[in-house]
Amino acid sequence: MTNADELKSSGLKATLPRIKILEIFQRAQERHMTAEDVFKLLLADGSDIGLATVYRVLMQFEQAGILSRNHFESGKSIFELNEGQHHDHLVCMDCSRVEEFFDPQIELRQREIATERGFRLQEHSLALYAHCTKDACPHRHSK
């Protein structure tokens, strides 16, 4: 399926800004990006798509289910492609880098806790905030 087809199947018209922003998410090495990150990548690519358009398209993509949005400690919205598989996040408090993980035991325990307390879990989001302990972390900001 082409990007234009993917947009149309989500109920969105295949405009140039939408196609370019979708391509950014599909080919970027970093899976979790702010609107500003997307805007900078578009600028580096020679695109003249404005920041307001980036924000608008990201909101449209979220509503259409193409992207998922998270709010981590930074207070900024972080977007990632919605690939239909649940995962949780580990957020570095030093550089704000986000790593994804999936742990079946954590998932099971969360459902058990909800059930024990009289709830049926519909959806959830888990973000663990931590300091990196890797000696040679390439993402650590020098101080």
Side-chain angles (χ1 to χ4, degrees), residues 41-64:
L41 289 171
L42 287 167
L43 281 178
D45 210 28
S47 175
D48 63 350
I49 297 170
L51 185 57
T53 300
V54 171
Y55 275 106
R56 187 172 58 255
V57 169
L58 293 178
M59 296 302 113
Q60 292 166 347
F61 281 5
E62 180 191 13
Q63 290 173 344

Side-chain angles (χ1 to χ4, degrees), residues 14-138:
T15 63
L16 185 62
R18 288 179 182 149
I19 290 171
K20 285 193 169 286
I21 291 170
L22 182 56
E23 287 173 352
I24 291 282
F25 278 93
Q26 290 172 331
R27 69 172 194 247
Q29 289 181 338
E30 182 58 47
R31 282 188 41 84
H32 303 88
M33 293 185 278
T34 64
E36 292 81 7
D37 295 333
V38 173
F39 179 66
K40 287 176 190 171
L41 289 171
L42 287 167
L43 281 178
D45 210 28
S47 175
D48 63 350
I49 297 170
L51 185 57
T53 300
V54 171
Y55 275 106
R56 187 172 58 255
V57 169
L58 293 178
M59 296 302 113
Q60 292 166 347
F61 281 5
E62 180 191 13
Q63 290 173 344
I66 295 170
L67 296 179
S68 296
R69 177 173 29 167
N70 290 288
H71 300 280
F72 298 126
E73 287 282 310
S74 69
K76 292 184 177 183
S77 292
I78 307 290
F79 296 88
E80 65 182 300
L81 280 176
N82 180 0
E83 295 172 327
Q85 294 183 329
H86 172 77
H87 57 267
D88 296 309
H89 297 96
L90 187 60
V91 182
C92 179
M93 294 176 67
D94 300 315
C95 71
S96 300
R97 192 166 102 74
V98 179
E99 287 190 23
E100 298 174 357
F101 71 94
F102 176 82
D103 185 302
Q105 290 178 311
I106 290 175
E107 298 303 314
L108 175 63
R109 190 64 190 122
Q110 289 175 113
R111 285 191 303 276
E112 289 172 349
I113 290 168
T115 301
E116 289 166 5
R117 292 179 164 92
F119 292 91
R120 185 175 54 244
L121 195 59
Q122 292 297 311
E123 61 180 76
H124 75 278
S125 173
L126 175 66
L128 304 175
Y129 297 90
H131 292 285
C132 178
T133 60
K134 300 171 192 161
D135 288 333
C137 178

Side-chain angles (χ1 to χ4, degrees), residues 94-96 137-143:
D94 300 315
C95 71
S96 300
C137 178
H139 306 286
R140 184 175 293 138
H141 300 298
S142 55
K143 295 189 180 197

